[in-house]
Structures are given as structure tokens and as C-alpha cells.
Amino acid sequence: MLLVCYVFPPEAAPAGVMVSELAEDLAARGHDVTVLTGWPNHPAGKLFQGFRARWRSLERVGSYRLMRVAHSIRPKASPLARLWVYLTFAASSLINGVTLGRQDAVVSLSTPLFGVWTAWLLARLWRGRFINIIFDLWPEAIRNSGLVGDSVVYRLVRRIDTLNCLWSDEITCLGEGMKGHICERGITPHRVHVLPFWMDTNRIRPLPRENDWRREQGIAPERFVALFAGTVGYASGAEILADVAERLKEYPRILLLVVGEGVVKEKLESIARQRQIENIRFLPFQPEEKLAQMQSTADVGLVTLRPESGISSVPSKVLGYMSAGRGVIAAAPEGTDTAKLIREADCGLVTPSGDAGALAGAIVTLYLDRERCGCCGERARRYVVDHLSRAGIVEKYARLIEGR
């Protein structure tokens, strides 16, 4: 089995983490698994320290093989520059992938546009199954982020991605809302399977809110922490957090903690400095061994989405909060898969997308009602364990890839 994904650890992107876990679990089922990926540079577009980009490297990581291939790396890339990055990754993946020999199944995991072509071509070359796993719906994701408009280029790229779906033997997506948009492209519904993100409930688990990580960061026990953890990108709608923090100034014990990286983070930090907002703090991505403590430091987790972004993605940060036993407040459009998940799990509050006042009000509601806040966290953890555990969801992915 060959898994093709543009991102992979040590990059912190959830898609890459899930590919590594899927590779481990497929190998544990007795399959010969290879992961084909690029050189670590996400999200800053800079090669990670300790790595030297080469044409190709092949190594064994535990029970599976890992092939990294050359591609363009561009810091702060424009949409066109990003397309070039994806195109060079696709071409390099195809040339290098052929050297791996026959694969019975090729899986594309949220690799944008041209990378899906690579996976499809390799699958057809070897007459194997081609599985298209979609975590973010392209190109809607970049349009809904405000990076491109409804232009000729956008419509062309959407047509390309539609072909990617039409050529797939099986497709998976994260929610019924995403499935509906895929089927609108003319894809028959029986080929589109809803398989959500999973969570390793041992990797991120409930711990005391007063822990070593919290003490290292100098966060006083009495402070109520509203955590935004993960990629601070265009689709996140995280720009409103500065306005939220300003509205919470009369509650000095509430701290907005932003942990992660992304193109919007610099803008947020600049606004916070200009306005002298002191109740919001910014930290980089944290090491793997610190994640459980970092998540448990929170009293509540925050997720924000631009009004249009909910149709094209489901932020994986939601499951991180839930697995840590923390309630979730989502500024997300009603009817989106994110809002539906929170309501189904009964683990938090949903406010209108882009409404800083409503989001601030929801934070205050749970700050003043700690019992309700705690109950949201308990229900969140229970839902993840019962419905979204790694073992259960990966089993469904594995059976689909195996053709059973």
C-alpha cells in the first residue's frame, strides 16, 4: 500500500499525524506500507532545521517505509506559488513513486490537486485500487479563505478536482455536509463515504488543569484559559480573536491562549501590540510530549471558521479539545459539520461565524458557570471515546482500502 500526502511529521499538521498513525495501523494488520511525502516545511514554507532537501530519500520508520521527494519550497507563498509547489511535488512524486514497484492500493490523503493525479496515475499503472481521502475540499477551501475569487482559474481548478473525484475508486470525506458538496459535482453518492477524523485517546487525554506545562508558562491557577490550538490560517477566521480579547478586558482572569503557527498569527500579534491587548498570549506549536498537558491547561477550547469555510473543512482541533475532556466553543455557521458535531456531542456552544461579541459572550457564559463548563468537557471526552477513537475509525479506513 502506498500513502501519498504532502505533509508528514515532524510537521504538526493534523493530516500528516493521521497519515503516520494510519501507516502504523495498516502495517500492524500485515500490509507492506510506504508513505510518500515531501520535505518538512509547513506552515512557514521553510525547510525544518536538521533536514537537507534531496531528490529522494527512503528510510524505514518503525513498521513502514518513508520516502521523501524533492519539491519547491516557498515561504509566504501566493496562491499561484502554492500551485507551483503542489505541481512540483506531484511531478517528483510520480517519478520517484514509480521506483517503488507495484502497489495493490494507492491512497491520496488530502494532497491538493496535482498530487491526486500522481496517486491516480500510479494506481492505474499498477492496476491497483485508488482511494481519495479528502480532509479539505479543494479548491473551495482556498476560495472560502478569501485567497481567490470565483474566477476562470478557480473554475478550472475546481474542474480538475472534480475529475480527481470522478477517477477515484472510493472517496472519503469528514462529514455529511462535505459529502453533499462532492455529490453536487456529479459523483455518485455510494462512492463517497463519511469517515471522520479519529483521535488517539491515549495520546491526548484529560489531565489536571494545573500541570507542569501550565506552570512553565506562568499561567496562574485562577486564570480561566480559552485555548485556540492549531494552524492559524486563512480558513480559520481567527482574526476575530483580537476583538474577542478586547471585549473580555473587564474579565481580567480570562486568558485567550493561541498556540500554533500560520499566516494569520502575525496579523493577530501585530493587532494585539498596537491595541495593547494584554489578555491574549501567543505560543508556537508545542512538542508532542507536551500536547496532553497543553490541552488540559485549557478550561475551554475555541474554534473559529470564516462564514464560508465550514463547507470545505472540519478543524481537527475540535477533537483535540474533546479528547482532553474540554468543552468547545465554536464560531461556526449553523448547519456545518463542525456545528453539528458539537451539538450532537452536547459538548459546548456554537456562535455565529465572525461575531466577536457572541464568541466573547459564550466564553463568559462558561467562565461564570464552571459546573456547566465541566459537564461539557465530560461529555466531549465520552463522545470521542465512544465514536471517534483511533481503533474504531482506522478499522473502517482499513476495510475500505482493502476493498472489503
Side-chain angles (χ1 to χ4, degrees):
M1 293 181 176
L2 177 64
L3 311 182
V4 182
C5 186
Y6 173 66
V7 294
F8 193 79
E11 293 165 308
V17 174
M18 299 184 84
V19 173
S20 69
E21 293 176 350
L22 182 59
E24 290 172 4
D25 293 352
L26 289 171
R29 294 170 71 93
H31 297 297
D32 181 359
V33 179
T34 303
V35 175
L36 196 163
T37 189
W39 293 99
N41 70 97
H42 179 82
K46 296 180 181 179
L47 186 66
F48 280 27
Q49 190 172 3
F51 286 85
R52 181 173 62 86
R54 290 170 285 158
W55 171 243
R56 175 177 66 202
S57 76
L58 184 62
E59 61 180 305
R60 180 156 289 278
V61 178
S63 56
Y64 61 89
R65 293 186 298 172
L66 175 66
M67 175 180 275
R68 294 188 182 274
V69 300
H71 57 89
S72 174
I73 297 176
R74 298 285 185 90
K76 296 183 179 179
S78 66
L80 285 178
R82 284 190 182 189
L83 287 178
W84 174 247
V85 171
Y86 298 146
L87 182 59
T88 58
F89 172 72
S92 179
S93 297
L94 179 61
I95 296 168
N96 286 294
V98 169
T99 68
L100 291 169
R102 187 181 187 280
Q103 308 289 313
D104 298 300
V106 181
V107 185
S108 171
L109 294 105
S110 206
T111 299
L113 299 175
F114 312 113
V116 184
W117 288 358
T118 288
W120 175 78
L121 284 168
L122 290 173
R124 293 299 170 257
L125 173 67
W126 295 315
R127 298 180 182 176
R129 287 170 56 75
F130 173 53
I131 314 298
N132 189 359
I133 296 179
I134 298 174
F135 292 154
D136 292 291
L137 190 58
W138 290 80
E140 286 89 342
I142 55 174
R143 184 196 63 183
N144 296 336
S145 300
L147 294 176
V148 298
D150 191 12
S151 62
V152 172
V153 173
Y154 166 77
R155 291 193 292 273
L156 174 62
V157 172
R158 188 175 187 274
R159 179 57 185 165
I160 291 171
D161 199 55
T162 297
L163 290 174
N164 292 337
C165 294
L166 288 168
W167 294 338
S168 305
D169 292 315
E170 306 287 352
I171 301 166
T172 77
C173 62
L174 298 177
E176 292 293 342
M178 291 178 70
K179 177 176 179 177
H181 285 281
I182 292 171
C183 292
E184 285 177 2
R185 298 179 175 189
I187 315 300
T188 53
H190 75 270
R191 290 173 49 219
V192 185
H193 309 268
V194 175
L195 290 177
F197 277 132
W198 66 83
M199 179 55 62
D200 186 335
T201 52
N202 294 316
R203 174 172 164 258
I204 297 182
R205 62 198 184 280
L207 295 173
R209 63 190 292 276
E210 296 178 39
N211 55 59
D212 290 342
W213 188 87
R214 186 183 184 112
R215 286 186 283 272
E216 288 170 8
Q217 302 305 322
I219 302 173
E222 64 271 13
R223 298 209 76 173
F224 182 91
V225 176
L227 173 69
F228 183 100
T231 302
V232 195
Y234 290 116
S236 70
E239 297 95 328
I240 69 168
L241 292 179
D243 293 334
V244 171
E246 276 200 307
R247 293 169 185 268
L248 293 173
K249 281 184 176 180
E250 59 184 288
Y251 297 94
R253 290 193 174 183
I254 297 178
L255 172 67
L256 263 61
L257 184 61
V258 179
V259 180
E261 301 292 347
V263 291
V264 174
K265 184 180 177 182
E266 282 186 27
K267 180 181 178 181
L268 268 174
E269 289 180 306
S270 176
I271 293 172
R273 284 193 300 268
Q274 291 172 5
R275 300 184 190 175
Q276 298 183 328
I277 303 173
E278 298 181 355
N279 59 343
I280 184 169
R281 283 183 57 185
F282 300 91
L283 294 172
F285 280 121
Q286 296 298 294
E288 171 70 25
E289 64 272 15
K290 300 285 188 179
L291 285 182
Q293 289 190 26
M294 182 268 289
Q295 293 279 8
S296 295
T297 290
D299 292 282
V300 67
L302 302 180
V303 57
T304 58
L305 283 171
R306 291 169 61 96
E308 308 86 358
S309 295
I311 70 166
S312 54
S313 63
V314 178
S316 59
K317 58 173 62 72
V318 177
L319 298 195
Y321 305 145
M322 293 174 67
S323 190
R326 298 304 186 261
V328 184
I329 300 175
E334 283 292 347
T336 59
D337 293 321
T338 299
K340 290 176 182 176
L341 171 60
I342 293 168
R343 297 207 188 284
E344 182 177 335
D346 191 19
C347 67
L349 302 172
V350 178
T351 67
S353 178
D355 189 333
L359 181 54
I363 294 170
V364 171
T365 295
L366 295 188
Y367 167 69
L368 296 176
D369 191 344
R370 302 299 178 87
E371 183 177 354
R372 180 182 180 184
C373 187
C375 288
C376 286
E378 291 172 5
R379 290 192 291 267
R381 174 68 183 183
R382 187 161 56 245
Y383 187 91
V384 169
V385 170
D386 290 346
H387 301 285
L388 301 172
S389 67
R390 174 176 172 178
I393 301 298
V394 169
E395 170 70 18
K396 295 178 181 178
Y397 273 98
R399 291 175 68 87
L400 186 68
I401 295 168
E402 293 164 351
R404 294 195 289 135

